[in-house]
Amino acid sequence: MTSIADLRKSYERAELNEDASHTNPLLQFEKWLKEAISSEVPEPNAMTVATVASNLRPSTRVVLIKGYDENGITWFTNYDSRKGQELAGNPFAALQFHWVELERVVRIEGVVERVSAQESDEYFHSRPLDSRIGAWASPQSQVISGRGVLVANAVKYGAQFLLHPPRPPHWGGYRLKPDNWQFWQGRKSRLHDRLRYTLSPASDSAQGNEPVWIRERLAP
C-alpha cells in the first residue's frame, strides 16, 4: 500500500496571470464557475462554508451555491443549524470552491446577512416537493435517536401540508458580501498561481458606485 505521504500530483492544466484575469473578482469567479459547469466536473456548485463559534472553534460544511451577483454569494439552509447559530453570533464566514479536475480553488471571505423573506419564499417554492417537506422534517444539527425520526417527520408533514408546504420560519437564505477573494490555479513544480482581490477602503458600493478591488499576486 502506498504511503499517504507519497501521494503526488503535478498540476499542469492551465495558468492564471494578471493580464488574462478580470480586474473584478466577481467576473473572474463567473468565468471559472461557467468553465467548471461546462467541463462537467462533479457538483461544480458545491462550496465549503466555514464559520466560527463563540468559543473561537471553527467548523466547516459543504452547501450548494444558489446565486451570485454584485451583492454577494447566496445559499439556503436551516437557521437553527450549527452554522446558523454561529453566524448569529459572528456574522463573518469564508467560502471555498475546489474544482479538482480543473486544478482550481476559489476562496471568498466577508460578512454574512440573511436574505429577505421574499427571496427565501421564492426560492423555497421553486424546490422539489420532497425537499420542501425535508426542510420541515429535519431538525438540522440536533441529536436524534435514529433515521426513523426523519422518516416519521416527513410522513407527518407530508400529510399535514400535502402539495403546498409553506416555508418553515427556521429556514431561509444567507448572503455573503465579499471583501476578499483568492483564486488559485495549480502549476508545475508547486509554483502555483495565486491572485488575491481585496476590497479597497475607498469603495462605496452602498452609494451605487462600482467597488474598487486591489489585485495582488501571492506566493503559493
Side-chain angles (χ1 to χ4, degrees):
M1 179 177 177
T2 302
S3 168
I4 191 171
D6 293 330
L7 295 177
R8 297 276 190 274
K9 177 182 179 181
S10 181
Y11 301 98
E12 302 180 19
R13 287 184 58 95
E15 63 180 42
L16 176 65
N17 61 59
E18 291 81 349
D19 294 333
S21 62
H22 287 284
T23 57
N24 185 327
L26 182 65
L27 297 179
Q28 182 64 33
F29 171 73
E30 182 174 57
K31 177 178 182 295
W32 274 17
L33 177 60
K34 287 182 176 179
E35 289 177 359
I37 294 172
S38 64
S39 298
E40 298 184 340
V41 303
E43 295 198 278
N45 54 336
M47 63 182 185
T48 298
V49 178
T51 56
V52 178
S54 58
N55 62 3
L56 303 185
R57 295 188 62 142
S59 62
T60 65
R61 72 288 291 160
V62 177
V63 303
L64 302 179
I65 182 176
K66 292 302 179 181
Y68 65 92
D69 57 24
E70 63 279 359
N71 295 314
I73 309 294
T74 303
W75 71 95
F76 294 83
T77 190
N78 188 313
Y79 289 142
D80 293 336
S81 64
R82 178 176 177 179
K83 58 184 169 297
Q85 294 176 18
E86 292 180 351
L87 287 170
N90 178 19
F92 293 92
L95 312 177
Q96 178 170 286
F97 292 83
H98 186 193
W99 297 309
V100 178
E101 293 77 6
L102 302 180
E103 301 172 355
R104 288 174 173 172
V105 173
V106 179
R107 296 164 55 187
I108 314 167
E109 300 174 12
V111 66
V112 179
E113 62 184 15
R114 291 189 183 187
V115 306
S116 68
Q118 178 181 352
E119 189 171 349
S120 290
D121 285 340
E122 289 175 355
Y123 175 69
F124 182 80
H125 291 297
S126 74
R127 305 177 83 207
L129 177 61
D130 287 352
S131 297
R132 284 178 280 156
I133 293 297
W136 283 96
S138 175
Q140 194 175 112
S141 299
Q142 296 182 28
V143 175
I144 57 176
S145 59
R147 182 172 177 81
V149 173
L150 299 178
V151 175
N153 283 348
V155 172
K156 169 188 172 182
Y157 288 112
Q160 179 178 342
F161 297 126
L162 299 178
L163 299 178
H164 304 287
R167 177 175 64 89
H170 57 265
W171 191 98
Y174 286 106
R175 178 176 290 108
L176 182 142
K177 303 174 69 172
D179 55 28
N180 187 294
W181 298 72
Q182 287 194 35
F183 295 84
W184 181 96
Q185 175 69 62
R187 297 294 300 276
K188 190 175 180 179
S189 301
R190 295 300 187 264
L191 301 179
H192 311 303
D193 290 327
R194 185 179 171 194
L195 297 182
R196 178 178 67 186
Y197 295 74
T198 305
L199 186 63
S200 169
S203 291
D204 191 9
S205 57
Q207 299 300 321
N209 300 323
E210 288 293 325
V212 177
W213 293 94
I214 300 170
R215 183 180 56 185
E216 301 168 299
R217 177 173 286 268
L218 302 181

